[in-house]
Amino acid sequence: MPDSTRRGLLIILSSPSGAGKSTLARRLMEWDDTLSFSVSATTRPARPGEVDGKHYHFIDESGFKLLVTSGQMLEHAHVFGNFYGSPMGPVSEAIEAGRDVLFDIDWQGAQQIQKSVLAPHVLSIFILPPSIHELRRRLENRGQDGEDVIAKRMLKSWDEISHWDGYDYVLINEDLDATEARLKTIIEAERMKAAQQPALMDHVRRLQSEFEDMP
């Protein structure tokens, strides 16, 4: 159940491909079923089996651009001829209802969100590999990509890693279980920050009133 006593967090996870981000995101969702992924909007057509509102919000290009110009997109990008972005409305509603929202995005999307009106509720975490050799080994062991795709991912990884210092927390993922445990500790601590607990001010006022009423 959502926690009505606090505001939700907008949790950003970023990393170069192969550092373990997707696995860690999945484990976080299994750990806390109140966590939800942000559903992106896109102008590309739905693929077979994809459901509007579940996999993506499918909208036309004019509608997408209207959301951008009216400030209703937290982040957006143009990729391979189509637009992708994160609508602000559902995320804002979740945060006010005490639900955390998880974003699996790159550093460019993270920077846009960190400059948005929801910035006070952002928790950004960058996942680093223990070494470049290990990063390549993990990509090869996944068995999902050919050598040419792996080479492109490796070339892109340095640009992604160079933006590590734009995040609140940076974790070196040497051991998946240990990294998962540190992620949970970070999230639990961030949930308790004063800025995430809107009822604190009323509680302090009640304490002050009780103190003043003492004989």
Side-chain angles (χ1 to χ4, degrees), residues 70-81:
S70 61
Q72 296 181 64
M73 279 289 184
L74 280 168
E75 56 85 24
H76 65 279
H78 189 251
V79 182
F80 299 125

Side-chain angles (χ1 to χ4, degrees), residues 45-95:
R47 293 168 182 159
E50 288 184 330
V51 178
D52 184 44
K54 178 181 179 182
H55 298 97
Y56 285 96
H57 297 292
F58 296 100
I59 58 178
D60 60 24
E61 188 169 319
S62 61
F64 190 100
K65 289 180 176 179
L66 180 60
L67 289 174
V68 172
T69 56
S70 61
Q72 296 181 64
M73 279 289 184
L74 280 168
E75 56 85 24
H76 65 279
H78 189 251
V79 182
F80 299 125
N82 293 296
F83 289 95
Y84 294 82
S86 303
M88 183 181 298
V91 179
S92 181
E93 290 171 9
I95 285 173

Side-chain angles (χ1 to χ4, degrees), residues 127-197:
I127 309 297
L128 286 170
S131 69
I132 297 303
H133 174 78
E134 175 63 14
L135 183 67
R136 184 177 182 88
R137 188 192 69 80
R138 290 176 183 177
L139 286 172
E140 291 172 342
N141 286 354
R142 289 196 311 195
Q144 296 177 352
D145 303 312
E147 183 59 36
D148 58 334
V149 175
I150 290 175
K152 289 178 182 177
R153 292 190 187 279
M154 290 300 298
L155 282 173
K156 187 180 178 184
S157 67
W158 177 245
D159 178 56
E160 294 169 325
I161 290 171
S162 69
H163 295 278
W164 66 273
D165 58 350
Y167 289 74
D168 299 319
Y169 296 87
V170 180
L171 300 177
I172 300 172
N173 184 24
E174 291 191 74
D175 177 84
L176 199 59
D177 291 339
T179 304
E180 178 188 357
R182 291 196 294 271
L183 269 177
K184 292 175 181 177
T185 298
I186 290 168
I187 291 170
E188 288 178 331
E190 290 285 327
R191 286 171 170 173
M192 298 305 296
K193 278 190 171 180
Q196 296 303 115
Q197 300 186 66

